[in-house]
Amino acid sequence: MSGPRPVRAPRGTEPSALGWQQEAALRMLQNNLDPEVAEHPDKLVVYGGTGKAARDWRSFDAMVRTLRTLKQDETMLVQSGRPVGVMQTHEWAPRVLIANSNLVGDWANWEEFRRLEALGLTMYGQMTAGSWIYIGTQGILQGTYETFAAVAAKKFGGTLAGTITLTAGLGGMGGAQPLAVTMNDGVAICIDCDPRAIDRRIEHRYLDVKADSLDHALQLATEARDRRKPLSVGVLGNAAELVPQLLAMGAPIDIVTDQTSAHDPLAYLPTGIAFEDMADAAAKDPAGFTTRARESMARHVEAMVGFQDAGAEVFDYGNSIRGEAQLAGYDRAFAFPGFVPAYIRPLFCEGKGPFRWAALSGDPADIAKTDKAILDLFPENESLARWIKMAGERVHFQGLPARICWLGYGERDKAGERFNDMVASGELAAPIVIGRDHLDCGSVASPYRETEAMLDGSDAIADWPLLNAMVNVASGASWVSLHHGGGVGMGRSIHAGQVTVADGTPLAGEKIRRVLTNDPGMGVIRHVDAGYDIAESVASERGVRVPMREG
Ligand code: NAD
């Protein structure tokens, strides 16, 4: 009987599988379950609530066994975390094809999913959990940094220096906000009702200081702002009380957002309940707690709208707080936009998205060399250079050393080919895996997040992620995945991922050139089709063919 045990990817330059493409999948599956990487490795849970790398330990063992003996012309098929077949294909085909958590439309809800999961028939794959390319909290830090950089570019002349951002939620993902703001040279006031969340962020050097009171927080923030010094200040309290108080005080806030766990009303602390009593109160009366949490969220969102009316830049950071406030009857909940339509979509139009890679050698020196290669390749991109330098100094690797940065159409293939050359020349100790989040420009349909408010109203059209998966298979990716649910839940998104291995061979070079051109190319054509001018210019300048624009 196989059961939980510590898992760690092998390091080094000798593959135990029959080739590096298979070895890469093997190491990345194991890396996702490394205790340094995964939230609950004993339960095979990597991140994001219940996002798993394998359905159960027997399936995990079967995948490891199969990957070790898989030939260069074979493909392993994975159905929701369980290997269900090995087929003869060819050397350009992916070595692994993965479909996770997919349900037919009318059945695609949590109730039915949980029923099937209890029967052992499916698992939740999140985005990069079940597709074996999660790299720990670096991913969320970089995404948050990029979002605040986009806010700075759009409204504040390219820097947050001299501005104050107000937010709440210092949890697993929200905890990246203070560091992302200070990396953009801004000042942040971050509210959380859990004192441990504040202390943990200070311990991990994501948050600078803790204020004694709201007045103290405001004083520290305004002093730092006036000196144009980056600073993040944590303050203990309930956001549904403190955000309205700051508004009433006329606090000089420039940017407001929120990352409390509002997507789950049982995880948002209503006013009038002490933090220590929260778990009991939620368990005792979930329906009553939900109503109270939603009412508090309505007050919280109302204050955010108040800041917007007073001229601040306000956005929803993908936690559904607007939807919950609306359910409580607040009719201006959607007065401010989600972060994708507000800042990220122009990047998506250029095929930009979260490009990431990991060093299979396990040697941090390999990542340092790839960092340098990125700086050499894109010297004109200042925000990229700032990120790569700061990441090199401040990001602590979890599991195999890895790096993330946003690159667009015409850039990702250059980086990939350079990495492959570096493996071929022996500059890097072992091959590099190159993948990305499913949250990308042309790989996801998600009307509450990545495809909210598309220009042509095509938010819920899910043909795009299916085409994305198919084009990656056709282009030579090493493994391709197609998932449902991800960060927004069952019934709310369909998304695809790819990982391609730079093993230093000419064949890998050919595959990389195609995959890393066509994959972001999907982002360009998706946004051309929806009518975005930026995407049209990118397509015509960089030669992306769009048949409906030809002839
Ligand atoms: P988490 O559960 O780890 O942390 C949430 C934090 O909010 C906790 O520290 C909790 O104490 C605090 N909190 C709850 N109610 C509060 C209240 N009333 N006042 C002050 N603090 C309160 O969650 P997480 O992983 O950090 O994610 C936070 C939210 O952001 C989730 O809803 C997630 O889905 C969303 N999210 C979206 C994106 C995205 O779209 N890019 C990225 C990351 C997270």
Side-chain angles (χ1 to χ4, degrees):
M1 217 4 224
S2 70
R5 87 282 325 225
V7 173
R8 188 170 184 264
R11 268 62 173 166
T13 56
E14 289 307 316
S16 64
L18 301 180
W20 273 108
Q21 307 283 315
Q22 302 90 309
E23 180 72 12
L26 178 65
R27 289 192 189 185
M28 293 310 287
L29 161 63
Q30 293 171 315
N31 193 57
N32 260 13
L33 292 171
D34 185 321
E36 278 183 24
V37 177
E39 296 283 342
H40 305 290
D42 286 359
K43 295 183 190 151
L44 297 150
V45 168
V46 183
Y47 78 100
T50 54
K52 291 168 78 172
R55 200 182 310 172
D56 46 41
W57 286 99
R58 268 190 66 220
S59 303
F60 171 77
D61 287 334
M63 290 195 284
V64 168
R65 202 170 56 231
T66 307
L67 286 167
R68 286 216 173 100
T69 54
L70 197 74
K71 302 197 183 98
Q72 314 286 18
D73 65 348
E74 288 180 335
T75 297
M76 176 173 81
L77 305 186
V78 176
Q79 180 260 319
S80 290
R82 169 166 293 181
V84 290
V86 172
M87 307 270 175
Q88 185 176 14
T89 53
H90 53 85
E91 64 176 0
W92 271 83
R95 298 283 72 83
V96 188
L97 290 172
I98 299 171
N100 282 327
S101 331
N102 296 288
L103 292 180
V104 171
D106 275 3
W107 283 261
N109 56 62
W110 279 116
E111 203 183 5
E112 179 64 2
F113 175 79
R114 295 211 162 107
R115 188 183 76 79
L116 295 165
E117 189 185 29
L119 290 171
L121 298 173
T122 188
M123 70 158 206
Y124 203 61
Q126 260 289 354
M127 286 192 155
T128 51
S131 57
W132 313 337
I133 187 72
Y134 184 67
I135 58 166
T137 55
Q138 183 181 171
I140 194 69
L141 175 61
Q142 200 276 342
T144 313
Y145 166 80
E146 197 69 41
T147 302
F148 281 106
V151 175
K154 187 171 171 186
K155 286 276 167 171
F156 302 97
T159 173
L160 294 186
T163 69
I164 301 178
T165 296
L166 170 65
T167 187
L170 288 171
M173 301 204 231
Q177 296 176 103
L179 183 52
V181 170
T182 52
M183 280 177 150
N184 279 291
D185 295 329
V187 174
I189 297 177
C190 306
I191 303 166
D192 203 294
C193 57
D194 178 357
R196 284 167 314 177
I198 297 179
D199 293 343
R200 203 176 312 130
R201 295 307 145 216
I202 290 181
E203 214 175 286
H204 294 177
R205 295 171 53 221
Y206 272 48
L207 178 68
D208 297 326
V209 294
K210 184 177 181 173
D212 304 330
S213 64
L214 198 58
D215 286 328
H216 185 213
L218 204 51
Q219 182 202 335
L220 291 171
T222 44
E223 280 169 13
R225 178 205 59 188
D226 293 346
R227 285 184 291 126
R228 294 179 75 83
K229 285 279 231 195
L231 181 74
S232 55
V233 184
V235 59
L236 184 66
N238 191 321
E241 285 165 5
L242 300 195
V243 178
Q245 269 180 40
L246 284 164
L247 179 68
M249 288 157 75
I253 305 294
D254 302 285
I255 300 154
V256 188
T257 189
D258 177 62
Q259 277 208 22
T260 56
S261 27
H263 71 282
D264 176 1
L266 295 182
Y268 181 97
L269 181 67
T271 53
I273 295 182
F275 172 70
E276 300 70 43
D277 302 331
M278 180 175 174
D280 274 356
K284 234 179 249 156
D285 177 17
F289 191 97
T290 298
T291 306
R292 291 183 66 172
R294 286 190 175 136
E295 280 165 4
S296 293
M297 286 192 240
R299 299 291 74 78
H300 183 166
V301 171
E302 189 179 28
M304 292 172 77
V305 172
F307 274 113
Q308 186 182 38
D309 290 343
E313 183 71 9
V314 183
F315 62 96
D316 171 304
Y317 209 161
N319 65 355
S320 292
I321 196 165
R322 293 171 302 170
E324 297 298 318
Q326 193 177 47
L327 286 172
Y330 177 53
D331 59 2
R332 290 189 68 205
F334 281 82
F336 57 84
F339 74 106
V340 173
Y343 315 108
I344 302 296
R345 189 147 301 138
L347 304 178
F348 280 175
C349 288
E350 289 184 57
K352 277 200 173 146
F355 181 77
R356 60 178 63 172
W357 63 98
L360 292 176
S361 64
D363 187 350
D366 277 358
I367 292 298
K369 289 174 191 164
T370 54
D371 281 351
K372 192 166 172 303
I374 292 286
L375 295 175
D376 287 349
L377 278 170
F378 309 109
E380 72 296 342
N381 188 334
E382 281 171 28
S383 132
L384 174 69
R386 198 161 40 161
W387 160 255
I388 292 285
K389 279 183 198 141
M390 278 190 288
E393 288 159 15
R394 297 179 83 155
V395 168
H396 161 76
F397 293 134
Q398 296 166 264
L400 288 170
R403 184 64 76 225
I404 180 168
C405 68
W406 279 46
L407 292 180
Y409 184 87
E411 296 176 330
R412 298 193 205 187
D413 55 317
K414 279 198 188 73
E417 287 194 85
R418 173 71 70 91
F419 295 168
N420 199 49
D421 292 344
M422 291 164 78
V423 176
S425 70
E427 190 180 344
L428 300 178
I432 296 282
V433 291
I434 305 169
R436 59 164 172 77
D437 196 355
H438 290 201
L439 183 166
D440 196 7
C441 50
S443 59
V444 52
S446 183
Y448 287 152
R449 214 162 81 175
E450 292 86 342
T451 52
E452 173 180 335
M454 292 296 287
L455 209 51
D456 63 347
S458 60
D459 306 17
I461 298 286
D463 298 331
W464 299 98
L466 305 188
L467 283 171
N468 178 245
M470 289 191 273
V471 84
N472 281 321
V473 170
S475 303
S478 304
W479 65 96
V480 176
S481 53
L482 197 42
H483 293 191
H484 180 115
V488 286
M490 292 308 297
R492 291 177 171 173
S493 68
I494 293 179
H495 37 92
Q498 65 80 16
V499 182
T500 304
V501 180
D503 62 13
T505 59
L507 177 63
E510 287 297 317
K511 290 177 177 181
I512 284 167
R513 191 162 56 77
R514 286 167 177 80
V515 173
L516 296 184
T517 301
N518 298 338
D519 188 35
M522 284 297 306
V524 178
I525 64 169
R526 201 269 177 264
H527 290 89
V528 169
D529 196 77
Y532 288 88
D533 293 343
I534 308 175
E536 279 217 30
S537 325
V538 170
S540 57
E541 282 159 18
R542 305 187 204 171
V544 183
R545 287 193 59 187
V546 182
M548 297 302 285
R549 312 272 148 181
E550 293 174 351

